[in-house]
C-alpha cells in the first residue's frame, strides 16, 4: 500500500520543475535587490521617522515637501500609507523636529503624530551587524544539529532551503519596497525556525521509511515520506497563515511588516520543505552502479 502511494505522487521525478520555479523566484528577487535594494527603516539606517495623520483630507506629498524644503529636507523619504504620511529624514534634534512639525501645522493644518522615532547612525549600523550575525549563528547551529541528528547532507539541504526562504522574503520586500526594520529580522528568524521544523519532520519520516522499506528504491521512499507529511504540513501552515492574515489586517502599523514577512516566509517555508529540501537531499545521495544507494542514517 505504501509503495503504491509513493508512486502515485512523483515529487522527486518532477524536481527539476521545482528547481526551475525556485530559480525563477530567486532571479526576480536578485534583480529587485540589485536594482532597488531594500527599504531599510531607521532601525538600520539611523535618522528620524515621523508618521503623521492630518485632520483635513486631500493633503498631498508636494505640499509636505514644500514645507520640508524650508529646512533642507525636501529630498527625505516620504510615503503615503492609507490616511497617514511616513517621513524619514536624517537624524533631527528635538528642537528641529518641533520646528518641522510646527511649520507643517501652520502651513498645512492640524495633525496627529502617530509615530516618532530617533536612531543614531552608529546604533543603526550596529543593529544591522547584530541582525546579520544572529541569522548566521542560527544557520550554523541548525547545520550542526541536523548533522548530529541525521547526517551532513540533510543539514546542507535544509540550510539551502532556509536560504531559499530568506531570499524569497527579502525579494518580496524589495519588490514592494516594504520597510525593513528590527521586526523583519525577528520575522526571518521565526521563519527559519518554523521552516526547519517542517523539513525535519519530513527528513525523520524518510529515515524511518529507509529502515522499513529496504527493498524500495530511494525515490519511492522519498515520495512516500513527503506524501505522509504533506497534509500535516499544509494544515499547520494554514492555521499559522490565518493568524498572520488577521494580524496583518487588524494588528496595526507596528506589526504590519512583521506579519507580512512571516506570512510570505511561512508559505515559502512549506514549499521549500516539501519540494526543495527533499529533492536536494535526494540529489546529494551518490549513485552506485546507476542507482541511488540507500544509506544508513
Amino acid at each position: 500500500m505504501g509503495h503504491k502511494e509513493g508512486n502515485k505522487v512523483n515529487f522527486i521525478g518532477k524536481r527539476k520543475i521545482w528547481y526551475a520555479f525556485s530559480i525563477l523566484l530567486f532571479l526576480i528577487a536578485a534583480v529587485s535587490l540589485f536594482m532597488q535594494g531594500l527599504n531599510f527603516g531607521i532601525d538600520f539606517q539611523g535618522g528620524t521617522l515621523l508618521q503623521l495623520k492630518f485632520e483635513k483630507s486631500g493633503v498631498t506629498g508636494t505640499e509636505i515637501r514644500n514645507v520640508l524644503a524650508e529646512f533642507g529636507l525636501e529630498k527625505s523619504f516620504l510615503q503615503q500609507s492609507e490616511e497617514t504620511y511616513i517621513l524619514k529624514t536624517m537624524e533631527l534634534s528635538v528642537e528641529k523636529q518641533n520646528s518641522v512639525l510646527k511649520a507643517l501645522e501652520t502651513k498645512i493644518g492640524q495633525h496627529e503624530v502617530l509615530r516618532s522615532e530617533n536612531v543614531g547612525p552608529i546604533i543603526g549600523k550596529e543593529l544591522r551587524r547584530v541582525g546579520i550575525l544572529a541569522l548566521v549563528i542560527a544557520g550554523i547551529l541548525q547545520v550542526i544539529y541536523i548533522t548530529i541528528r541525521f547526517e551532513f547532507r540533510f543539514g546542507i539541504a535544509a540550510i539551502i532551503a532556509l536560504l531559499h526562504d530568506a531570499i524569497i522574503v527579502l525579494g518580496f520586500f524589495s519588490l514592494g519596497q516594504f520597510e525593513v526594520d528590527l521586526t523583519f529580522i525577528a520575522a526571518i528568524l521565526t521563519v527559519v525556525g518554523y521552516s526547519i521544523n517542517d523539513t525535519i519532520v519530513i527528513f525523520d519520516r524518510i529515515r524511518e521509511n529507509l529502515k522499513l522499506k529496504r527493498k524500495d528504491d530511494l525515490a519511492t521512499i522519498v515520495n512516500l515520506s513527503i506524501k505522509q507529511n504533506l497534509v500535516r504540513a499544509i494544515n499547520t501552515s494554514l492555521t499559522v497563515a490565518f493568524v498572520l492574515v488577521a494580524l496583518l489586517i487588524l494588528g496595526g502599523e507596528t506589526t504590519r511588516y512583521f506579519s507580512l514577512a512571516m506570512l510570505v516566509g511561512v508559505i515559502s517555508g512549506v514549499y521549500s520543505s516539501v519540494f526543495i529540501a527533499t529533492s536536494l537531499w535526494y540529489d546529494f545521495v551518490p549513485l552506485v552502479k546507476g542507482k541511488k544507494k540507500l544509506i544508513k542514517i
Side-chain angles (χ1 to χ4, degrees):
M1 181 66 183
H3 183 90
K4 290 180 180 178
E5 283 179 350
N7 285 332
K8 285 180 181 176
V9 186
N10 193 357
F11 295 98
I12 294 301
K14 296 177 180 176
R15 64 189 185 282
K16 290 182 179 177
I17 297 176
W18 323 136
Y19 289 158
F21 181 61
S22 289
I23 289 171
L24 176 64
L25 293 178
F26 176 80
L27 289 176
I28 293 173
V31 169
S32 179
L33 287 166
F34 179 76
M35 296 296 290
Q36 56 184 3
L38 292 168
N39 173 21
F40 285 110
I42 64 166
D43 290 347
F44 296 111
Q45 284 187 321
T48 297
L49 182 147
L50 295 169
Q51 184 172 8
L52 307 173
K53 183 177 182 181
F54 290 90
E55 287 188 359
K56 76 172 186 180
S57 59
V59 174
T60 65
T62 304
E63 288 180 89
I64 297 174
R65 287 196 185 280
N66 287 339
V67 177
L68 294 175
E70 299 175 12
F71 301 89
L73 301 172
E74 66 276 14
K75 293 183 179 178
S76 301
F77 177 86
L78 182 65
Q79 181 183 43
Q80 187 170 11
S81 175
E82 297 177 353
E83 297 178 351
T84 69
Y85 275 98
I86 296 174
L87 169 64
K88 285 191 284 186
T89 70
M90 65 177 85
E91 189 179 7
L92 302 177
S93 64
V94 175
E95 293 76 16
K96 190 166 185 178
Q97 193 178 133
N98 289 336
S99 299
V100 171
L101 292 173
K102 184 67 178 174
L104 288 169
E105 181 179 325
T106 304
K107 299 190 175 180
I108 297 179
Q110 291 285 333
H111 56 74
E112 181 183 0
V113 180
L114 301 178
R115 187 177 166 197
S116 175
E117 297 176 14
N118 234 22
V119 177
I122 295 177
I123 295 175
K125 188 176 179 181
E126 179 64 14
L127 288 174
R128 190 187 304 191
R129 188 188 70 80
V130 171
I132 294 172
L133 185 63
L135 289 173
V136 171
I137 291 173
I140 292 172
L141 290 176
Q142 288 186 348
V143 168
I144 294 171
Y145 170 73
I146 296 171
T147 300
I148 294 172
R149 183 79 172 78
F150 297 93
E151 61 150 4
F152 186 63
R153 280 173 290 211
F154 271 133
I156 296 301
I159 287 301
I160 293 175
L162 291 179
L163 287 175
H164 166 281
D165 300 337
I167 290 170
I168 296 300
V169 179
L170 283 170
F172 182 83
F173 267 63
S174 175
L175 277 173
Q177 285 295 287
F178 301 117
E179 184 177 312
V180 174
D181 56 15
L182 275 182
T183 64
F184 179 83
I185 298 296
I188 291 289
L189 286 170
T190 309
V191 165
V192 165
Y194 182 86
S195 179
I196 199 70
N197 183 50
D198 269 346
T199 304
I200 284 178
V201 169
I202 295 175
F203 283 172
D204 199 41
R205 184 54 61 92
I206 291 174
R207 185 172 60 175
E208 289 179 10
N209 286 333
L210 281 171
K211 297 174 183 174
L212 295 173
K213 300 179 181 298
R214 297 178 183 274
K215 293 182 180 179
D216 286 353
D217 64 81
L218 191 57
T220 301
I221 291 174
V222 175
N223 283 331
L224 177 62
S225 303
I226 293 173
K227 188 183 177 187
Q228 288 172 339
N229 286 281
L230 187 61
V231 174
R232 171 199 171 279
I234 292 173
N235 285 341
T236 53
S237 298
L238 278 176
T239 54
V240 174
F242 291 151
V243 174
L244 292 171
V245 169
L247 192 61
L248 184 64
I249 297 172
L250 305 172
E253 193 69 31
T254 53
T255 58
R256 177 167 300 165
Y257 296 124
F258 171 81
S259 49
L260 183 60
M262 279 286 299
L263 184 61
V264 176
V266 166
I267 294 170
S268 177
V270 70
Y271 164 74
S272 68
S273 295
V274 172
F275 297 102
I276 300 301
T278 48
S279 297
L280 285 172
W281 176 78
Y282 178 81
D283 281 330
F284 290 160
V285 175
L287 282 170
V288 177
K289 295 180 181 179
K291 293 182 66 176
K292 291 284 183 181
K293 182 184 178 183
L294 291 175
I295 54 177
K296 293 181 179 179
I297 54 176

